Amino acid sequence: MTDLSTLILERIRDVPDYPKPGVTFKDITPLLADHAAFNAVVDSLATGFQVDKIVGIEARGFIFAAPVAYHRGAGFVPVRKKGKLPAAVLEESYDLEYGSATIEVHDDAFSPGDRVLIVDDVLATGGTAAAAVDLVRRAGGEVAGVSVLMELAFLKGRERLKGVDVRSLVIV
Ligand code: AMP
């Protein structure tokens, strides 16, 4: 295991039965509060990607995507929950365990051919990331990859992202 994986695993707190029974929530707040760990994660999330824009997925994705964009000299684009963005949007809906969710992006967020990296904290079932990939492509961006802090391998999110370069700093 690398030093970075160890650092991340030591700073992510498992909260059992949150937000509902049977779910173990990966709480990133101890990692964010640790300057060295937060810096190392921001430095690593975009390593190896050539990018023009970084997409952050609301809400915890924003925390990582904005400093990654600054660090890499790229633009930041928010993908938000339905109804939060003020101008014209494209939307994608996807299934959750119970019900569905909709995310949106401004329809003019990308220039044609922009290389876009999608950043989030946790890759679980992959529904959110797959919807973000579809949104970026429909809005004219070229998806360079999906980069997450932590991947929950048992939920097989990668299988919904076939053909996409998916990278995780730690896989559990
Ligand atoms: P999914 O669409 O199932 O891949 O879920 C990914 C989104 O839900 C990400 O934006 C995560 O922030 C959040 N998420 C899913 N499962 C967890 C978990 N166990 N702990 C923390 N966040 C989670």
Side-chain angles (χ1 to χ4, degrees), residues 30 42 119 121 134-135 154 171:
V42 168
V119 170
D121 62 338
D134 290 344
L135 267 184
F154 65 98
I171 300 180

Side-chain angles (χ1 to χ4, degrees), residues 42-98:
V42 168
D43 288 354
S44 300
L45 277 169
T47 299
F49 289 104
Q50 294 298 317
V51 286
D52 303 299
K53 300 256 168 68
I54 307 287
V55 158
I57 301 179
E58 186 174 3
R60 287 182 299 277
F62 291 175
I63 297 168
F64 295 104
V68 168
Y70 178 80
H71 177 62
R72 288 299 303 267
F76 169 77
V77 173
V79 161
R80 300 207 61 182
K81 288 165 186 153
K82 189 177 173 63
K84 302 283 188 184
L85 288 168
V89 294
L90 296 172
E91 66 171 50
E92 277 289 329
S93 296
Y94 57 100
D95 290 332
L96 297 173
E97 199 177 347
Y98 300 101

Side-chain angles (χ1 to χ4, degrees), residues 24-26 60 120-128 152:
T24 300
F25 190 83
K26 300 293 181 184
R60 287 182 299 277
D120 205 357
D121 62 338
V122 173
L123 179 69
T125 66
T128 310
L152 308 181

